[in-house]
Amino acid sequence: MAAFFRAAALLVLLLIVPTPPDRGGIPPRWNPWAPLRIADAPNVLTPLKLARLGRDGALCRAVLAQAPLQSTPVPDREVGPGCRLADAVRITRTRFAVDSPFLLTCRAAVSLALWERHTVQPAALQLLGAPVLRLQHLGSLACRDIAARPGRRSRHAQADALDVAGFTLGDGRRVTVLRDWGDAEAPAGRFLRTLHRGACRSFDGVLGPDYNAAHRDHLHLELGGGRYCR
């Protein structure tokens, strides 16, 4: 609770002081003017710092370079009506191996790196007793509308979203959202729910199987579409 009020006070200070004051004594993770660091666990300032990365491509790329992630920049371009890539990267490996490369905006890639470091791997070790080695996904970039809202583009249309389907562990076990979400008391079900809650600290929007049938087989993780965790 004390940390929450400390962060709230810093946010108020940010609104009323246009330039950074003397930063002495403020830890970087609680300093709203300090760049985001992937080594720091997400807190209430994380959305503010992620938003800043969306406005400063050079800063975003510098932050992303802190992650054990293999990526290459891709040119800004239109990918369809109302769909555009801007400041995006092609990811061939995250902290984990991936089944196939995918595209994400730089800031979404930073969010993914935060989630993997501070939620996914710790939860796997604690709840399943083995590290995650591979991430299975259902894709990122897709020039389409939100399924339930025709005429409104999905965050997938800008590569600001990733659909995560499951994981392979170091001992060979596989955990999938489709198979394992339903049993909330089993270790795999608890693991997936921990990942869902943790993603809400690293992304703007998170949808899981309890939201609707369209998400029965994946966790939808996005930036830029509003704050929600369902």
Side-chain angles (χ1 to χ4, degrees), residues 139-217:
S140 54
L141 178 65
C143 187
R144 60 174 175 81
D145 291 345
I146 298 173
R149 303 185 69 174
R152 180 175 175 181
R153 285 305 197 198
S154 165
R155 298 311 298 177
H156 284 289
Q158 292 81 37
D160 254 338
L162 178 68
D163 291 338
V164 174
F167 304 88
T168 300
L169 305 180
D171 58 11
R173 281 180 291 167
R174 291 192 64 203
V175 176
T176 69
V177 176
L178 181 62
R179 183 188 64 206
D180 297 308
W181 180 271
D183 188 350
E185 300 304 318
R190 291 167 53 208
F191 169 69
L192 291 172
R193 282 164 173 76
T194 299
L195 267 52
H196 180 279
R197 291 192 300 271
C200 298
R201 297 184 299 133
S202 299
F203 292 86
D204 291 338
V206 178
L207 296 176
D210 291 340
Y211 178 62
N212 62 19
H215 295 84
R216 67 188 182 281
D217 60 353

Side-chain angles (χ1 to χ4, degrees), residues 86-161:
D87 197 23
V89 294
R90 182 177 185 267
I91 297 171
T92 54
R93 180 184 176 87
T94 66
R95 178 172 293 268
F96 316 124
V98 297
D99 288 341
S100 59
F102 57 95
L103 298 174
L104 280 180
T105 59
C106 178
R107 65 177 188 154
V110 170
S111 284
L112 179 63
L114 284 169
W115 181 58
E116 289 184 340
R117 173 172 180 141
H118 296 288
T119 298
V120 178
Q121 197 69 293
L125 294 170
Q126 179 181 0
L127 298 173
L128 301 176
V132 167
L133 294 186
R134 180 176 292 272
L135 177 149
Q136 288 88 44
H137 67 89
L138 301 180
S140 54
L141 178 65
C143 187
R144 60 174 175 81
D145 291 345
I146 298 173
R149 303 185 69 174
R152 180 175 175 181
R153 285 305 197 198
S154 165
R155 298 311 298 177
H156 284 289
Q158 292 81 37
D160 254 338

Side-chain angles (χ1 to χ4, degrees), residues 56-71:
D56 188 335
L59 176 61
C60 187
R61 290 186 290 275
V63 172
L64 187 60
Q66 302 169 17
L69 180 148
Q70 296 174 7
S71 66

